[in-house]
Amino acid sequence: MTENLTQRQKMLTFGGILLAMFLGSLDQTIVSTALPRIVADLHGLDRFTWVATAYLVASTALVPIYGKLADMYSRRKIEVVAVSIFLLGSMLCGLAGEFGTLPLLGDGMTQLIVFRAVQGLGGAGLFAMAFIIIADLFPPAERGKYQGYVGAVFGTSSVLGPFLGGFLTDRGTGLIPGVAGWRLVFYVNLPLGLLALWFILNQMPALKPRTTPKPLDVLSIVLLMAGLAPLVVGLQLNKAVYGWTSPVTLGLLATAAVALALFVRRSLRSDNPILDFGLFRNTVFRWANAAVFLLGGAFLGIIIFEPLFMVNVLGTTATRAGVSLIPLSMGVVLGSLLAGQMVSRFGHYKRWMLSGIVVLLCGLSLLATMPVTVGYWQVLSYLLLCGLGLGPTMPLYTLAIQNAIEPRLMGQATSASQFFRQIGGAITASVLGTVLTLTLAQSQPATPGAPVQSVVSEGPAVPARSSGPASPELRLAFSKAISRIYFFNMFLVAGGLLMTLFVPELPLRKSNQAAPPVAAE
């Protein structure tokens, strides 16, 4: 599909795809910084977690669908649709509440929640399509270094997002007359997105599928979304309010189980399923996705709970706690770039995957054994080590999967990898939030009603000190709880290591036209 493209055309297309993906990854961190001001302006404290949950539900549910569409229609058209929906959602989010209460949409906060879901519908495509289109542009033997740049973009946006979000929220009011600063957090996507669209429309080839598409299985789409939506919502509900045994949580999870079972049954009988379950017969696909599921959970566990340690154990400000994640992000950038370059130069992706996991285990062991007296800069060095270990996991598992499957299933296989990473993160974050709550309750039985606030805007709500210095007892309680969480993370990573050992290392193909190496049972 790309045999006649010049290197310049490939690189311009690659640049447009990276810019589009940067929008999606930036949005995940930039909005969280602005949430307190948004909640104050729109009077929606009782619904603030739904701003994140609406985006997460939509972006998770649509990932497999984008993968299927990419196997059926022009990749360029799908990418244009994804970017356009994301930009429409961004504009609507910026306008939320500007015109008061609206019919059907309700007040400003409800409008924002709905429009964040629209954003998520587009955001799912920004991530899924990036890896799919890169697979079209470059053969597996060259692809590692380019997919390494994707991990670098993700890490960079993780650093820039909180700073840019805070700056626009605090100082952006007045830059555009009559527009509150927090609205610029959404409007900033528009010029960047339009630039990405220009690149895609003018430089990107059509990248049409090699086979004639069959009619889309609409019933499979309905069943998939009917299963994933209640699953993600059930996991994201604040378990301090809706526990695991509450009727609401059980009802959502039961609905998800039934709908997903029907989806699997339908997919096995369909001539054109959303996800070809024959992919699971491929050894690389099966074990690599199992590893990604566990490692995705470990990654999110570090991001969510490390700031809690900083604030509640070391007594840092929320700003310093946020800044402390920069070494983690920079480690991801360096690890991703290094692993991608080395694999493209020497091959042997499996040794880099295993090496990264070992480094990650070392970093987690240091985090899990931190005493209350640990220094701020010591924690930062541990996070850098974790980032260096996580970096290779970003591009290499996807590369291994793409190298092992038929080109006609590239979209489904690639999006499945991203889907399992996201679901692993959502499930793990919810479970770890429960571990934290239970550990704190055991350590501090006399203070269950102490004032708490949530410091997690893109995941489950977990308690944190609201203000003032923490007592020694509270510091010890949080230290014990977060150490337990990092020990749990070590088991996840060890599981990922075990799964990776079962991943066969196949020779990297030097052409997208060649049949993939056999890795099926």
Side-chain angles (χ1 to χ4, degrees):
M1 299 191 305
T2 61
E3 294 78 10
N4 298 323
L5 292 180
T6 64
Q7 185 66 13
R8 180 177 181 274
Q9 288 176 308
K10 289 183 179 181
M11 295 311 297
L12 286 174
T13 301
F14 180 61
I17 295 304
L18 284 187
L19 184 56
M21 184 183 174
F22 178 77
L23 281 175
S25 57
L26 183 70
D27 189 74
Q28 293 185 357
T29 54
I30 194 174
V31 175
S32 61
T33 314
L35 262 181
R37 187 67 56 82
I38 294 173
V39 168
D41 281 5
L42 299 182
H43 308 291
L45 181 61
D46 57 325
R47 290 161 287 166
F48 87 99
T49 58
W50 287 97
V51 176
T53 301
Y55 184 94
L56 183 62
V57 169
S59 62
T60 301
L62 265 289
V63 166
I65 296 171
Y66 273 107
K68 179 61 179 181
L69 293 174
D71 285 338
M72 296 177 62
Y73 305 107
S74 163
R75 316 273 218 246
R76 181 175 63 190
K77 289 182 179 179
I78 302 302
E79 179 72 6
V80 168
V81 169
V83 175
S84 300
I85 293 174
F86 182 81
L87 292 181
L88 174 63
S90 297
M91 182 182 69
L92 292 174
C93 285
L95 291 172
E98 286 277 42
F99 305 103
T101 301
L102 298 177
L104 299 178
L105 294 176
D107 63 6
M109 195 65 182
T110 303
Q111 293 170 34
L112 179 63
I113 292 169
V114 173
F115 298 151
R116 280 288 282 169
V118 174
Q119 248 193 330
L121 297 177
L126 302 186
F127 287 98
M129 296 304 298
F131 283 104
I132 295 170
I133 293 172
I134 291 171
D136 287 330
L137 296 176
F138 309 103
E142 301 177 18
R143 197 177 299 157
K145 63 182 179 181
Y146 296 105
Q147 290 186 340
Y149 287 115
V150 173
V153 166
F154 180 82
T156 302
S157 66
S158 299
V159 175
L160 290 179
F163 282 111
L164 185 58
F167 175 82
L168 292 176
T169 301
D170 294 337
R171 303 185 183 183
T173 300
L175 291 179
I176 300 178
V179 176
W182 65 263
R183 297 184 186 276
L184 299 183
V185 166
F186 299 104
Y187 291 148
V188 74
N189 292 329
L190 301 181
L192 294 175
L194 291 173
L195 179 61
L197 271 180
W198 182 88
F199 271 103
I200 294 166
L201 290 170
N202 289 279
Q203 302 299 331
M204 181 177 171
L207 301 179
K208 295 180 180 179
R210 295 183 173 89
T211 57
T212 303
K214 299 178 181 179
L216 191 64
D217 189 348
V218 178
L219 180 57
S220 289
I221 294 177
V222 173
L223 290 173
L224 179 62
M225 297 188 69
L228 291 180
L231 173 64
V232 176
V233 171
L235 293 171
Q236 291 294 301
L237 286 176
N238 186 349
K239 295 303 180 291
V241 180
Y242 302 100
W244 288 103
T245 58
S246 74
V248 173
T249 300
L250 291 177
L252 287 169
L253 296 181
T255 301
V258 171
L260 291 176
L262 292 174
F263 166 74
V264 172
R265 184 172 182 269
R266 171 70 180 183
S267 297
L268 292 173
R269 298 184 176 187
S270 174
D271 292 333
N272 190 33
I274 296 300
L275 178 62
D276 188 339
F277 279 81
L279 285 167
F280 287 96
R281 291 195 292 269
N282 185 294
T283 309
V284 175
F285 180 87
R286 184 169 64 250
W287 290 112
N289 277 321
V292 162
F293 178 89
L294 296 172
L295 294 173
F299 176 60
L300 197 59
I302 296 173
I303 288 181
I304 290 177
F305 296 99
E306 187 275 338
L308 287 178
F309 183 90
M310 287 292 191
V311 172
N312 294 283
V313 179
L314 299 191
T316 67
T317 63
T319 299
R320 290 196 77 197
V323 168
S324 70
L325 288 174
I326 291 178
L328 178 71
S329 299
M330 298 312 298
V332 169
V333 170
L334 294 174
S336 181
L337 287 174
L338 177 63
Q341 293 290 335
M342 292 298 100
V343 169
S344 290
R345 180 170 298 184
F346 302 111
H348 306 296
Y349 54 81
K350 186 172 179 178
R351 67 180 60 171
W352 288 96
M353 293 155 68
L354 292 171
S355 298
I357 294 177
V358 171
V359 172
L360 176 57
L361 276 173
C362 292
L364 277 172
S365 67
L366 292 170
L367 289 175
T369 55
M370 290 186 297
V372 177
T373 55
V374 68
Y376 180 82
W377 292 102
Q378 281 180 274
V379 181
L380 266 58
S381 65
Y382 302 162
L383 291 171
L384 175 62
L385 194 62
C386 288
L388 290 171
L390 282 163
T393 71
M394 295 291 182
L396 296 188
Y397 285 93
T398 301
L399 174 62
I401 290 170
Q402 291 175 338
N403 183 59
I405 53 91
E406 299 177 51
R408 68 181 181 86
L409 298 174
M410 186 67 69
Q412 295 175 64
T414 303
S415 62
S417 176
Q418 181 191 338
F419 170 76
F420 283 114
R421 187 185 297 273
Q422 289 184 207
I423 287 294
I427 293 175
T428 301
S430 185
V431 171
L432 292 181
T434 302
V435 170
L436 178 69
T437 303
L438 292 176
T439 306
L440 288 177
Q442 293 169 1
S443 302
Q444 291 270 268
T447 59
V452 297
Q453 67 177 5
S454 172
V455 297
V456 182
S457 57
E458 297 294 333
V462 291
R465 177 167 52 88
S466 58
S467 62
S471 66
E473 294 79 10
L474 186 58
R475 291 178 62 202
L476 286 171
F478 265 97
S479 179
K480 177 181 177 182
I482 295 175
S483 291
R484 182 172 294 181
I485 283 170
Y486 285 137
F487 273 118
F488 186 91
N489 263 11
M490 289 181 66
F491 282 103
L492 289 178
V493 175
L497 177 63
L498 180 62
M499 300 300 104
T500 304
L501 290 173
F502 289 105
V503 176
E505 181 160 35
L506 306 178
L508 291 173
R509 290 182 285 121
K510 297 182 178 180
S511 169
N512 282 333
Q513 295 298 316
V518 177
E521 293 178 353

